[in-house]
Amino acid sequence: MTQEQHFDVAAYALGVLDERDAARFEDHLIDCPACAIELESLLPVVDILSDVDADALVATEQSRRDGLVLKKMIGEVKRERRRANSRRLYSLAAAVVVFAMLSIGALFAGAQWLAPDQGSQPPAQRSSKVLDPLPVAEGGGGFGGTPLPGETFSTTDSRSGVSAAVGFEPKDWGTQVSFAVSNIKGPLTCRLVAVRTDGNAEVLSTWTVGDKGWGTPAQPEPLMLVAATALPRKDIAHVQVQSIDATGSTETLVRVP
């Protein structure tokens, strides 16, 4: 690109460039965000200029000759602006699209570079700092499908019939608790509670169960969620899935392990 092409913005906006110079400037515009921004800022000025009353402006000129030249210029601007307006807008739109695509591409590449592909890491290389992803719920998720991350346990409560699988994964910041719940019918409001070795309890997660339930004939897939706690794994005795009624009373549906 040349310095002269940067000076063509106003001329192009006024529509006074010939076809060859206009085409050359449009090629330059695609690669020059500065000119694209300047062109966009000039378009309102050109619109205002095209609406100027040339006769009234000429009347204020001291020199009749200069006034006639100005009137002729404004009239030419009106005609050229109407003819070139669509072309300018298309060129500006094309430049904006190109810049947007380049920006999105740069962000995508940066994200790929900054974020490692954790899905391809074997279990032995899981990060100790971030949450591990849940497996796809195939064959019941934690109930015969892909196991949950970490140390896993599963059980079915003989009274409620609710089944649960839990994976405990130690982290630098505490413990990731991944869990899958099946054969649970709604509507219900539920929560996951971690019971400490000292007998105290901590609520880790809450959710609702709709009419279809989870792990039921109406919705065969289990509910799979992830919770995080500052508790070290050694301080967690077990977890409970509890239901909560409108009065705040709770009922344990299943305990793991």
Side-chain angles (χ1 to χ4, degrees):
M1 70 184 66
T2 64
Q3 187 65 24
E4 288 76 11
Q5 288 173 317
H6 293 298
F7 297 147
D8 287 340
V9 180
Y12 183 79
L14 292 172
V16 298
L17 294 178
D18 58 27
E19 292 294 329
R20 180 172 176 274
D21 288 339
R24 179 176 59 84
F25 178 78
E26 288 165 359
D27 291 339
H28 165 76
L29 185 65
I30 295 298
D31 298 319
C32 183
C35 286
I37 294 172
E38 184 177 356
L39 176 60
E40 185 178 15
S41 67
L42 284 176
L43 292 181
V45 178
V46 175
D47 287 337
I48 294 173
L49 185 60
S50 67
D51 294 331
V52 172
D53 187 342
D55 293 329
L57 187 61
V58 169
T60 64
E61 294 292 318
Q62 294 182 356
S63 171
R64 177 176 176 79
R65 180 178 179 182
D66 291 341
L68 291 175
V69 172
L70 181 59
K71 179 179 180 180
K72 181 177 180 181
M73 183 194 73
I74 294 175
E76 184 67 21
V77 166
K78 287 183 177 181
R79 290 189 295 272
E80 291 297 328
R81 190 192 67 82
R82 294 191 182 97
R83 182 181 62 82
N85 188 50
S86 296
R87 184 175 182 178
R88 290 196 306 270
L89 291 177
Y90 287 140
S91 298
L92 181 59
V96 171
V97 169
V98 170
F99 298 143
M101 292 177 64
L102 290 175
S103 299
I104 293 172
L107 288 173
F108 179 77
Q112 290 292 322
W113 178 71
L114 290 172
D117 184 6
Q118 298 202 14
S120 63
Q121 294 180 359
Q125 296 181 5
R126 291 195 185 104
S127 172
S128 61
K129 298 179 175 60
V130 300
L131 293 173
D132 295 318
L134 284 171
V136 177
E138 298 176 353
F143 311 106
T146 304
L148 296 170
E151 181 187 12
T152 59
F153 302 89
S154 62
T155 189
T156 299
D157 188 89
S158 58
R159 181 186 55 82
S160 67
V162 175
S163 299
V166 179
F168 299 98
E169 180 76 4
K171 299 291 183 180
D172 291 349
W173 38 261
T175 305
Q176 172 181 331
V177 182
S178 307
F179 60 102
V181 183
S182 187
N183 197 31
I184 186 170
K185 302 174 179 62
L188 284 175
T189 298
C190 297
R191 67 183 187 181
L192 183 72
V193 176
V195 179
R196 301 167 53 121
T197 54
D198 61 8
N200 293 320
E202 174 184 329
V203 177
L204 303 185
S205 180
T206 62
W207 67 92
T208 59
V209 179
D211 294 336
K212 293 183 178 180
W214 296 94
T216 63
Q219 185 160 251
E221 297 83 5
L223 173 66
M224 304 183 69
L225 296 172
V226 174
T229 176
L231 292 174
R233 169 64 187 100
K234 63 181 179 62
D235 291 345
I236 302 175
H238 63 270
V239 296
Q240 298 176 358
V241 175
Q242 299 177 347
S243 63
I244 314 170
D245 63 21
T247 66
S249 300
T250 62
E251 178 185 358
T252 298
L253 301 178
V254 64
R255 164 181 163 170
V256 185

